[in-house]
Amino acid sequence: MQDINFLQKLKIWLRVYQRIRFFKRMYPLSAIIADIFLFPLDYFFNRRRITAVRNVTLAITHRCNMRCAMCYFNKKLDIECDLPLSLYKRVIDSVKKSRPCIILSGGEPFLHPHLINMVDYAKSLGLAVQIFTNGTLITPSLTEALVKAKLDYINFSLLGNEVSHSLVTNTPDAYGRFINNLEYFAARRQGTKIILNYTITPDGIKDIGHALKLAMRYKLDGLRIQHYNFLSPSDFRKQAGRMEAVFQAGPLVNEIEGPKEFNNLAAEVIDFKKRLSRDSKGIPIQWAPDLSNAEIRNWYSDEEFNTGRKCLFPWRGILVDADGKIYPCSKIYLPCGDIKKQDLFKAWNSQDMQKFRKSLKKNLFPACSRCCKL
């Protein structure tokens, strides 16, 4: 782990704060102020029962109509599984006192038959709701229903331009459907915020400027650029060793292996970042994570990502899978509980979750090394 000085730590925390405030409806200032006092108690007292959840991510389905080249979820997409609406409501009822934001993902959430009911239910309890989608299955009637339900945020995921987007998604007509639905939703959004989410990939990096053009053309509410997530062969081996030592389990990791040749990925990302700060013209920008140029060069290399950053997600974020199981995060699939059989917070505070948090405090798991939450 890299040793970092006070000024570097301060810069990292400033970037984390800016990233959180990018979604103001989801992370209000009141919650941030409360956590200034509450979070240290939950972080440093490992056996304390944590109930202050800020983010509940539900992978409501394992199904998807695409097979994106960089998707770490590919192994599960052939296993048809939808989170039952009754189980979803039980989750929302359990967390509503904390007033967390609700993030609906998948798979592709628009394949879930009860997506609108899920949004309606959370909104009826005054919770902020966000959807991550590939944008190809949003019909006019679904658009109108979501706007009527006062959906807070919808993230359209882009992977290239008119040519490369469909190539990266391995879906010939993906871009055409994406752009038609984005245009339709943008014209009728009312109070719903539209975020364009661009995931960097080796095949899509040269077309990253297309994301800014679309954000400006449709006057979108933000552009979120997600760094390419991958693990090196060394990371996989180290992850297996760490999980065996701590949990006597296999690597249990959802991630893809990085490319053998990185070419000029880092240089292209740094160049775009420089141009973006000049050309964004009022479009709010979020990098996930927000890296310095030195960190970008390290990230897009075959070396271990050397960082002094911490991951705080397991202390404030709950991940519920479509099968009802609780996992520490979307990258490490260590089953820590099952909401079909137990109370949500009992699962989230299980012995395995406490052990995971304790180990994570010491240093990041190898599978954490290139994660958008850092």
Side-chain angles (χ1 to χ4, degrees):
M1 179 181 291
Q2 178 188 10
D3 291 326
I4 55 177
N5 60 39
F6 176 77
L7 183 59
Q8 289 171 317
K9 287 182 180 180
L10 192 62
K11 287 181 178 179
I12 288 173
W13 280 109
L14 177 60
R15 287 169 177 161
V16 170
Y17 172 77
Q18 289 171 337
R19 187 176 72 198
I20 290 172
R21 290 296 287 162
F22 184 79
F23 296 105
K24 292 181 180 180
R25 294 184 188 176
M26 300 173 64
Y27 304 103
L29 200 54
S30 58
I32 295 173
I33 293 171
D35 267 341
I36 291 174
F37 302 97
L38 293 176
F39 184 81
L41 296 175
D42 292 333
Y43 187 80
F44 291 107
F45 295 93
N46 196 55
R47 294 192 177 276
R48 174 183 166 91
R49 188 173 187 267
I50 302 174
T51 58
V53 59
R54 303 298 181 210
N55 173 319
V56 181
T57 300
L58 299 108
I60 60 175
T61 181
H62 287 175
R63 294 182 291 145
C64 188
N65 59 321
M66 293 183 178
R67 292 296 182 271
C68 299
M70 79 301 167
C71 181
Y72 62 79
F73 208 68
N74 268 327
K75 295 176 183 176
K76 292 208 170 192
L77 294 181
D78 293 325
I79 306 171
E80 290 199 5
C81 182
D82 292 338
L83 182 70
L85 181 60
S86 58
L87 206 55
Y88 168 84
K89 289 183 176 181
R90 192 192 307 172
V91 170
I92 301 302
D93 289 341
S94 298
V95 301
K96 62 184 179 183
K97 186 177 180 180
S98 292
R99 300 192 65 77
C101 58
I102 307 299
I103 299 175
L104 305 181
S105 66
E108 170 49 48
F110 279 86
L111 283 168
H112 198 292
H114 300 299
L115 175 63
I116 302 300
N117 302 93
M118 290 175 164
V119 174
D120 277 335
Y121 190 72
K123 290 302 300 178
S124 72
L125 297 173
L127 304 182
V129 181
Q130 180 179 37
I131 295 175
F132 277 84
T133 175
N134 63 38
T136 62
L137 302 176
I138 308 175
T139 63
S141 60
L142 287 171
T143 296
E144 288 153 15
L146 290 171
V147 171
K148 182 179 179 182
K150 297 184 178 180
L151 175 70
D152 294 275
Y153 294 94
I154 184 165
N155 283 51
F156 282 76
S157 297
L158 182 67
L159 296 166
N161 64 6
E162 300 92 333
V163 176
S164 54
H165 178 81
S166 294
L167 291 175
V168 176
T169 61
N170 290 301
T171 309
D173 60 344
Y175 183 85
R177 287 188 286 160
F178 171 93
I179 203 69
N180 288 339
N181 293 337
L182 175 63
E183 182 175 14
Y184 188 90
F185 206 116
R188 295 159 179 82
R189 77 188 86 173
Q190 295 184 27
T192 300
K193 302 285 187 182
I194 303 176
I195 308 297
L196 188 61
N197 191 91
Y198 194 96
T199 300
I200 295 171
T201 66
D203 294 321
I205 180 62
K206 64 183 182 301
D207 303 316
I208 190 171
H210 187 65
L212 181 58
K213 290 179 182 178
L214 293 185
M216 296 176 70
R217 180 188 305 168
Y218 297 113
K219 296 181 174 60
L220 303 184
D221 300 288
L223 173 60
R224 181 178 185 268
I225 304 167
Q226 184 170 318
H227 286 286
Y228 186 45
N229 286 183
F230 64 92
L231 297 179
S232 69
S234 174
D235 291 330
F236 279 108
R237 290 193 297 271
K238 291 177 180 178
Q239 175 68 13
R242 177 85 171 269
M243 294 298 287
E244 176 61 34
V246 179
F247 296 103
Q248 294 75 54
L252 299 176
V253 60
N254 273 352
E255 197 48 278
I256 60 172
E257 188 173 317
K260 294 180 180 178
E261 299 292 336
F262 285 85
N263 299 320
N264 296 315
L265 269 175
E268 292 188 65
V269 173
I270 291 171
D271 179 64
F272 176 73
K273 187 176 182 181
K274 181 179 179 181
R275 288 186 284 114
L276 187 63
S277 64
R278 181 191 66 212
D279 300 336
S280 55
K281 295 180 181 178
I283 298 289
I285 307 294
Q286 181 196 71
W287 287 82
D290 192 349
L291 305 174
S292 67
N293 288 350
E295 288 177 312
I296 290 172
R297 294 186 190 96
N298 183 194
W299 186 287
Y300 293 99
S301 72
D302 57 2
E303 300 173 359
E304 180 180 353
F305 183 59
N306 189 16
T307 181
R309 292 169 182 251
K310 298 285 187 180
C311 176
L312 308 180
F313 180 82
W315 282 267
R316 284 295 180 265
I318 297 179
L319 174 65
V320 181
D321 198 35
D323 60 10
K325 289 186 173 60
I326 297 283
Y327 297 102
C329 67
S330 60
K331 298 190 75 169
I332 300 178
Y333 263 54
L334 173 74
C336 293
D338 190 334
I339 59 172
K340 296 193 299 293
K341 303 174 182 178
Q342 60 191 144
D343 170 77
L344 176 74
F345 283 104
K346 185 175 182 180
W348 196 42
N349 290 284
S350 67
Q351 287 186 349
D352 278 342
M353 273 299 293
Q354 289 182 13
K355 190 185 294 186
F356 183 87
R357 293 185 187 112
K358 185 177 181 180
S359 184
L360 186 63
K361 278 196 295 187
K362 295 177 181 177
N363 50 62
L364 295 175
F365 283 78
C368 307
S369 65
R370 290 176 173 89
C371 177
C372 62
K373 294 181 177 65
L374 291 180

